[in-house]
Amino acid sequence: MSRQLFKSTLIVSSMTLISRLLGFVRDMLIARLFGVDLATDAFFVAFKIPNFLRRLFTEGAFAHAFVPIVTEYKENSDPATLKQFINKSTGTLAVILLAITVLGVIIAPLLIILLAPGFSWQGTQHDLAVQMLQITLPYLFFIGLTALAGSILNAHDKFAVPALTPVFLNLCMIATAIYLAPKMHEPVIALAWGVFIAGIVQVLFQLPALMQLGLLPRLQMDFKDPGIQRFLKQLLPSIFSVSVTQINLLLDTLVASFLTVGSVSWLYYSDRLVEFPVGILGLALGSVILPHLSKNTAFDNREAFSQTIDWGLRLGILIGMPATLGLILLAEPLLSTLFQYKEFGAQDVILSAQSLRAYAIGVLGYILIKVLVGGFTARQDMKTPVRYGIYAMVASLALNVLAIPMHHAGLALATSLGAFINVGLLLKTLLKQQVYRPTAGWLLFAIRIVLASAAMSWVLYKWVNPEWWQDWSSSERILNLLLWVSIGIVIYTASLVLSGVRLRHLAVPHDRM
């Protein structure tokens, strides 16, 4: 099993890496063409909702409701029954998504008031955000169907196509920024049309893979089917349980709309950098582990279930720790290299770096949540992670209020602390239920991680001066950033090897699948 997990995780991580790199190209282009002003703040607020929904549906949350059920049908039923369930799921979900989309377009002005009430003081900014939200909201319909198709493929151990699908959002936004924006009276609206077009493209991209499996859905609506009722009953709780951090990010935007102009944009750009390691590793782990945990549950293999969680936690910490420290120590170099062009100035880099460091503190928490929630949802226990998610969200909201004197960076720090509260509650319960039983060697493994992280951090802190990046050209910034990132990776890896860490330490013992 460990070899298959490694292979699948590598596939998803590679595809996600392509998407994230294109995402940085997209954001570099937005920063270069549009800068930071009232219009970009309006776009980022309007984009928050479809981007939030994209994360909910395509980054694992939707799968936590659907994959365990479709795996149950796959393992315990005949192909015809599985196909019928998929048909009914698709048709029923399409009707629900269409109704929500139409309602959202109608009440878009109210949504902007709720999401960014501070915009009400800027009439043109509010109106622009409403217009762009109405354009982007249909993305909900398309991305919901995309997520369902991706979950079907993941349940059949087909990970590459769903992992590559997000690339098209970035490609479409890049294309509209370059070719459509110059032709529009308000150029930033072109980005909203890019989101709309991307939704259609993403759905179409999944269809050939479904056809190869013989599972291309035919739309059938059936709210009375027991399997559909179970799926719908679990959908909202599963989305909430995995996506508390994303909800907290929305709350950050709400509060930031009352702060200094540019606060929403600074939070957005820092969040985008945190998304990189969380998306590549957290998304990969969540996507790959969930089908295996669901199969363990279907076969009542408790030992393999526990070992799979243990493997995910070890890999998450192994990579999440240096990612956290790298974002903290290289905050200004990263932001300067990627976004400091024309309208995005040196002061924007400094202010964005403040929130980047605060968000980066929670990277390990964001990643581990993806692993731990699967320990509940694979057993179709949605109530526990939802309850803990509410606790974490309330704690983050309270911390948001206390952190207002720290401005936008305080909001980011509150979100990070909320993630760790969530992790602590989830882990404690899995241990108490004896669903997860840690394998031997954790203390030594943790000591090795700490030593390697300390060695990497000392070198980066001692030898990297963020002010250098302000004086360099674009090419110099890129080359030097790549140099120091590579040096950090080499030192961390070499320290791990010298301390005795080997790949076998990440293997799942006694493979039984």
Side-chain angles (χ1 to χ4, degrees), residues 307-385:
Q307 291 168 354
T308 301
I309 294 177
D310 194 87
W311 177 85
L313 292 177
R314 286 179 184 252
L315 187 59
I317 293 173
L318 180 73
I319 301 178
M321 183 62 75
T324 296
L325 296 171
L327 288 171
I328 292 173
L329 294 167
L330 298 175
E332 285 91 350
L334 284 164
L335 288 161
S336 181
T337 301
L338 293 171
F339 305 127
Q340 190 181 350
Y341 302 98
K342 291 186 177 181
E343 300 299 328
F344 194 93
Q347 187 66 15
D348 293 314
V349 168
I350 294 171
L351 293 168
S352 296
Q354 294 174 2
S355 50
L356 173 55
R357 290 193 175 92
Y359 275 140
I361 292 172
V363 163
L364 205 54
Y366 310 145
I367 292 172
L368 296 185
I369 287 172
K370 301 285 189 181
V371 177
L372 293 170
V373 168
F376 296 91
T377 57
R379 296 179 291 132
Q380 300 187 34
D381 174 8
M382 305 296 173
K383 294 182 180 179
T384 302

Side-chain angles (χ1 to χ4, degrees), residues 400-462:
N400 264 345
V401 176
L402 295 175
I404 286 178
M406 298 173 62
H407 304 289
H408 64 291
L411 306 181
L413 180 60
T415 297
S416 294
L417 296 177
F420 279 108
I421 292 172
N422 201 356
V423 167
L425 293 170
L426 293 168
L427 181 59
K428 180 181 178 181
T429 301
L430 288 176
L431 292 170
K432 184 178 180 180
Q433 295 175 343
Q434 296 189 337
V435 173
Y436 168 52
R437 297 178 297 278
T439 56
W442 261 101
L443 179 59
L444 181 58
F445 180 75
I447 291 173
R448 288 164 169 166
I449 295 292
V450 169
L451 291 175
S453 299
M456 182 195 77
S457 299
W458 182 84
V459 171
L460 294 180
Y461 179 78
K462 185 74 174 177

Side-chain angles (χ1 to χ4, degrees), residues 203-219:
V203 172
L204 296 177
F205 181 68
Q206 307 253 24
L207 299 186
L210 290 174
M211 292 175 65
Q212 288 183 344
L213 291 175
L215 295 175
L216 185 65
R218 295 183 178 181
L219 301 184

Side-chain angles (χ1 to χ4, degrees), residues 55-68:
R55 291 179 177 181
L56 291 189
F57 281 103
T58 65
E59 296 192 358
F62 179 91
H64 281 270
F66 192 68
V67 169

Side-chain angles (χ1 to χ4, degrees), residues 27-249:
D27 288 337
M28 289 169 66
L29 190 66
I30 292 174
R32 189 181 186 93
L33 295 180
F34 304 103
V36 174
D37 57 17
L38 292 175
T40 55
D41 272 7
F43 169 73
F44 287 134
V45 167
F47 186 49
K48 269 288 182 183
I49 292 181
N51 199 38
F52 172 69
L53 295 170
R54 174 188 66 81
R55 291 179 177 181
L56 291 189
F57 281 103
T58 65
E59 296 192 358
F62 179 91
H64 281 270
F66 192 68
V67 169
I69 299 176
V70 80
T71 299
E72 182 182 310
Y73 273 92
K74 176 173 168 283
E75 300 296 339
N76 301 325
S77 304
D78 59 84
T81 303
L82 171 63
K83 183 69 162 59
Q84 186 179 43
F85 171 71
I86 289 174
N87 291 343
K88 291 181 178 180
S89 298
T90 307
T92 305
L93 182 65
V95 170
I96 294 172
L97 291 172
L98 183 61
I100 294 174
T101 299
V102 172
L103 176 63
V105 170
I106 294 172
I107 65 170
L110 177 61
L111 291 176
I112 293 297
I113 291 175
L114 294 174
L115 189 60
F119 283 6
S120 298
W121 300 99
Q122 297 283 346
T124 56
Q125 190 178 33
H126 170 82
D127 295 342
L128 184 59
V130 169
Q131 181 183 356
M132 288 189 286
L133 179 58
Q134 290 175 328
I135 295 171
T136 58
L137 266 174
Y139 186 76
L140 166 62
F141 175 79
F142 299 116
I143 204 61
L145 296 180
T146 298
L148 186 138
S151 296
I152 296 170
L153 295 172
N154 284 348
H156 289 79
D157 295 327
K158 306 294 183 183
F159 297 102
V161 170
L164 187 60
T165 300
V167 165
F168 293 101
L169 174 62
N170 298 322
L171 289 175
C172 290
M173 291 183 69
I174 289 170
T176 51
I178 294 174
Y179 299 109
L180 183 60
K183 301 177 182 178
M184 304 195 71
H185 175 69
E186 183 59 70
V188 77
I189 295 177
L191 298 175
W193 284 111
V195 175
F196 179 89
I197 296 168
I200 300 173
V201 174
Q202 287 175 312
V203 172
L204 296 177
F205 181 68
Q206 307 253 24
L207 299 186
L210 290 174
M211 292 175 65
Q212 288 183 344
L213 291 175
L215 295 175
L216 185 65
R218 295 183 178 181
L219 301 184
Q220 296 179 18
M221 186 178 66
D222 188 352
F223 285 93
K224 296 182 179 181
D225 182 273
I228 301 302
Q229 289 182 345
R230 189 150 53 101
F231 163 54
L232 294 178
K233 184 179 179 181
Q234 295 180 359
L235 181 57
L236 285 180
S238 69
I239 286 177
F240 181 85
S241 63
V242 180
S243 306
V244 173
T245 299
Q246 306 307 326
I247 296 171
N248 286 334
L249 291 173

